[in-house]
Amino acid sequence: MDGVRNMSKYDAMIALNKKVSEEKINKANKQIWKMIDEGEKVTIPKLMAKTGLSRGFFKKNPVVRKEFARVVRQQAGMVDPNRYIGDLVLKSRIEVLEQQVRELRKENESLKKEKNKLEKALDRKEVNIIKNL
């Protein structure tokens, strides 16, 4: 009798584990497709954050790993919108900085010319002072 009861407990535990595993798989797949629908690049760190599932789950579970790999191949070359916006911001910032560098170089050149003129004027004045002695 104990063997039958233990077997039914074992079967119940197996069934529960299978149900939990299927729920995790469904949760992961739903999140993958939600990210695709929203135009978001699917990555394991993003999936971990959005599902609460571990990195190991996404790497070890064959069903989810296969779906993830398929989606990654599908999204190859896709630009993450946040990264694209960041690239645009950086590009405009670089243009502003390059313009500032050009202006500073012009200013530096004009200051060098002015310095040379003042040095020459100072040299002439010193020569005049020496002559007056």
Side-chain angles (χ1 to χ4, degrees):
M1 186 77 171
D2 280 338
V4 173
R5 197 165 82 214
N6 286 339
M7 190 60 148
S8 66
K9 285 183 182 180
Y10 177 78
D11 291 340
M13 183 177 69
I14 295 293
L16 180 64
N17 286 342
K18 186 174 181 177
K19 181 181 177 195
V20 168
S21 179
E22 287 173 0
E23 288 172 356
K24 287 180 180 180
I25 291 169
N26 288 336
K27 184 177 186 178
N29 285 336
K30 283 180 184 178
Q31 187 59 51
I32 289 170
W33 286 105
K34 182 178 178 188
M35 290 171 74
I36 288 173
D37 289 343
E38 293 173 355
E40 187 175 353
K41 189 163 178 116
V42 179
T43 65
I44 288 179
K46 286 181 183 178
L47 286 169
M48 289 169 51
K50 293 182 181 216
T51 62
L53 299 171
S54 70
R55 179 180 304 276
F57 174 80
F58 290 102
K59 297 275 188 183
K60 292 177 184 175
N61 186 290
V63 175
V64 175
R65 188 178 65 230
K66 183 178 177 183
E67 184 66 14
F68 177 77
R70 191 182 69 71
V71 168
V72 168
R73 282 192 305 274
Q74 176 185 333
Q75 288 187 327
M78 178 183 158
V79 177
D80 184 1
N82 294 333
R83 183 173 179 185
Y84 177 73
I85 291 169
D87 288 349
L88 290 177
V89 169
L90 289 176
K91 228 178 226 183
S92 73
R93 180 71 178 140
I94 288 170
E95 289 173 7
V96 167
L97 291 172
E98 286 175 343
Q99 178 63 30
Q100 287 177 347
V101 166
R102 285 190 293 273
E103 291 170 1
L104 289 170
R105 284 185 176 151
K106 284 181 185 178
E107 181 183 358
N108 189 22
E109 196 59 39
S110 70
L111 288 172
K112 283 180 182 179
K113 287 178 184 177
E114 186 179 346
K115 175 187 165 243
N116 288 337
K117 285 180 186 178
L118 291 172
E119 285 176 344
K120 287 178 184 177
L122 185 60
D123 287 343
R124 282 189 301 249
K125 188 172 185 180
E126 287 178 2
V127 170
N128 287 337
I129 291 174
I130 293 173
K131 285 181 184 178
N132 291 336
L133 292 177

